[in-house]
Amino acid sequence: MPPLEKPCAVERAQSECTAEREPVDSVTVYSGKTGTARLRVRRSSKQMRSKDTKHRHRVAVGGRNVVLSTRNPLITWLAKNELTLSFAAIFIVRTCSWLGFAWPQLFLTLQHSSPNSHRFTRGACDVWFVINWIFQILAARSIMLHNVLPLIPQYFGVKSSRSQRRFGETGWFLCYIVLSWSIGFSIWRDSPYYMNTRHLYANYPEDHVLMPYSLKWYYLVQTAFWISNLYTIFVEERRKDHMEMLTHHVVTIALVVLSYTFHFTRFGHVFMLVMDFPDVFLSLAKLVRYLGNEMAPNILFGLFTISWVATKHYLCIKMMISIWTEGIFEVPMEKRFPHCPDSYASYPIVGFMWAILCVLQAVLIYWFVMILKVLEKVLIKGEDAADERSDEESDSEDEAKPNDTGRSN
């Protein structure tokens, strides 16, 4: 072993760790090719967990511990009072409607109906309908998450409070996705653009300005759901891909709002159906895994992987390409922006939306790499299919009892 040129490397590294208040489990000194001293420091697993969980914050909601991904006082207060606030808003609107006031109809019914048909246009008053559905979705989520869904893992003998909490979060997402996808598919099946990408752009903008009641209702409720996810991502345990998930939600909301505003609802409708389909298999795999089954999650994860590639990559990219291969030919120059009223078909506008779709596809590719890592664990190493996006907290970690201030002891 060559002589060490810097014998004080250990002492210096230890003093630096002490200054940072990070404990050192072991220090190994070895010589590299140049003979200089190098240091390898292993910090304690407890210290690493405390670093990884610095964003987690436990509060009591409905008699249960909820782990937040932030210590923001506003988010903490909203998490502790979300059901009360949601029910209060719904009660006020419904009561005032029953008393005969006119303004609650902005929240309860679709606005901007066409006088000569049963179809609807877009308008600023649609915001109130979305706000009403945000409160309804948050109320339904709170009830399902804290009072209904945890009963299922308890019935099957699951003792871990963390598994019960994760089961509730995943179960709520599955319930909404199955219901919304079924409604969306029913609307698509009865539409003129069913299984026909050319009709996504045909007769634009005349046949696209007016929407049937069902499509407008579906679009606005979906908008409310994704906006509510910007809140719920902070009142659930922080995952490894927290920023990627936040980016996904922001991009999705941007696509939904822009496609609605620019009369591209046919494309947006089909795109949402394509994107939501694989999530059914992933959610089912998680639920079964939380209940302790070992074989079924692997099978469901295999189906999820196949559906992910087929929909989120193949079909989504095919739809993106169809914008330039079919859309530009279906919308002649005289019907493009700004030559035609109510038309937003122009290269800058469509190009901007296409760029947002590319950002979304980049996030999906990142997640697909994580999926491949899970497949490697299952097929090569023989391990179970675990969610690579899960947070780094140990499954066996017991939850601390929150004190009066909402912080864990």
Side-chain angles (χ1 to χ4, degrees):
M1 175 177 178
L4 299 178
E5 296 179 1
K6 297 182 180 180
C8 61
V10 175
E11 290 80 358
R12 183 166 58 254
Q14 288 177 327
S15 63
E16 291 175 357
C17 291
T18 303
E20 297 174 2
R21 296 186 178 180
E22 294 184 354
V24 178
D25 279 356
S26 65
V27 179
T28 304
V29 180
Y30 63 97
S31 59
K33 294 181 179 180
T34 61
T36 58
R38 297 185 182 181
L39 184 69
R40 183 176 297 167
V41 179
R42 266 186 53 228
R43 294 182 178 89
S44 65
S45 57
K46 181 178 180 180
Q47 177 70 16
M48 293 299 294
R49 277 201 306 272
S50 65
K51 183 178 180 180
D52 294 333
T53 60
K54 65 180 180 180
H55 298 287
R56 298 188 179 97
H57 176 36
R58 288 186 175 85
V59 297
V61 178
R64 298 180 182 274
N65 284 352
V66 175
V67 180
L68 312 183
S69 61
T70 179
R71 291 184 178 271
N72 184 285
L74 177 60
I75 298 296
T76 302
W77 182 80
L78 289 174
K80 297 176 68 173
N81 300 278
E82 61 181 10
L83 185 59
T84 302
L85 294 174
S86 299
F87 269 127
I90 296 171
F91 176 79
I92 291 173
V93 171
R94 293 287 181 178
T95 302
C96 291
S97 176
W98 180 74
L99 293 175
F101 290 94
W103 63 265
Q105 298 308 312
L106 294 173
F107 294 86
L108 300 176
T109 61
L110 293 178
Q111 303 298 312
H112 306 291
S113 61
S114 176
N116 299 323
S117 65
H118 297 289
R119 295 176 176 267
F120 294 80
T121 59
R122 300 141 181 85
C125 292
D126 294 334
V127 173
W128 305 114
F129 189 83
V130 172
I131 292 175
N132 174 60
W133 271 96
I134 290 175
F135 283 117
Q136 293 192 70
I137 289 172
L138 290 179
R141 174 188 175 276
S142 183
I143 294 174
M144 295 288 289
L145 184 60
H146 303 303
N147 302 105
V148 178
L149 292 172
L151 299 177
I152 298 177
Q154 291 175 9
Y155 175 81
F156 285 95
V158 177
K159 303 297 183 182
S160 170
S161 57
R162 180 175 180 273
S163 295
Q164 294 177 12
R165 184 173 63 248
R166 281 302 197 202
F167 185 93
E169 294 170 356
T170 305
W172 156 251
F173 182 77
L174 176 64
C175 290
Y176 178 84
I177 287 297
V178 170
L179 181 60
S180 65
W181 193 90
S182 301
I183 295 174
F185 181 82
S186 176
I187 298 172
W188 181 43
R189 183 184 56 192
D190 298 331
S191 70
Y193 50 94
Y194 178 66
M195 293 294 184
N196 192 328
T197 56
R198 187 180 66 84
H199 279 238
L200 295 177
Y201 319 99
N203 297 323
Y204 180 89
E206 290 85 359
D207 292 350
H208 298 250
V209 174
L210 296 178
M211 294 181 294
Y213 178 94
S214 57
L215 179 59
K216 179 167 184 173
W217 181 91
Y218 170 81
Y219 231 88
L220 295 182
V221 173
Q222 284 286 77
T223 304
F225 173 74
W226 287 111
I227 292 177
S228 70
N229 279 348
L230 284 182
Y231 159 75
T232 58
I233 193 176
F234 291 102
V235 295
E236 296 179 353
E237 275 187 87
R238 190 181 182 92
R239 299 178 184 270
K240 296 177 183 178
D241 64 341
H242 178 83
M243 292 307 301
E244 290 78 9
M245 182 68 73
L246 183 60
T247 302
H248 171 271
H249 292 347
V250 172
V251 169
T252 300
I253 293 172
L255 287 172
V256 172
V257 173
L258 291 177
S259 62
Y260 184 81
T261 304
F262 297 152
H263 310 313
F264 300 142
T265 48
R266 291 185 177 184
F267 182 92
H269 175 204
V270 178
F271 197 83
M272 284 189 284
L273 291 177
V274 171
M275 290 288 293
D276 289 346
F277 182 74
D279 294 333
V280 175
F281 296 105
L282 178 61
S283 298
L284 283 173
K286 290 182 178 181
L287 292 179
V288 176
R289 183 172 179 270
Y290 291 142
L291 295 179
N293 192 290
E294 297 181 358
M295 180 59 66
N298 295 339
I299 299 175
L300 289 170
F301 192 83
L303 295 175
F304 160 72
T305 304
I306 296 173
S307 63
W308 177 286
V309 175
T311 57
K312 291 181 183 283
H313 292 303
Y314 174 72
L315 291 180
C316 285
I317 294 177
K318 183 179 180 180
M319 291 184 65
M320 292 171 61
I321 295 175
S322 72
I323 295 176
W324 305 111
T325 59
E326 294 180 314
I328 59 175
F329 297 108
E330 290 295 332
V331 183
M333 186 62 67
E334 62 272 13
K335 292 186 178 180
R336 298 181 185 179
F337 177 88
H339 307 291
C340 178
D342 297 321
S343 175
Y344 295 94
S346 67
Y347 285 109
I349 294 177
V350 175
F352 177 72
M353 294 191 62
W354 204 80
I356 299 178
L357 289 171
C358 291
V359 174
L360 180 60
Q361 191 62 218
V363 176
L364 296 176
I365 292 174
Y366 169 81
W367 278 335
F368 184 64
V369 173
M370 302 178 75
I371 293 173
L372 294 179
K373 293 180 180 180
V374 177
L375 289 178
E376 179 186 8
K377 291 167 57 179
V378 175
L379 300 178
I380 299 179
K381 300 180 181 180
E383 301 177 7
D384 293 332
D387 184 13
E388 281 290 318
R389 298 187 301 111
S390 297
D391 54 270
E392 299 178 9
E393 184 179 3
S394 173
D395 287 341
S396 61
E397 180 181 347
D398 294 330
E399 293 185 85
K401 182 180 179 180
N403 54 26
D404 294 336
T405 62
R407 295 181 182 273
S408 57
N409 292 326

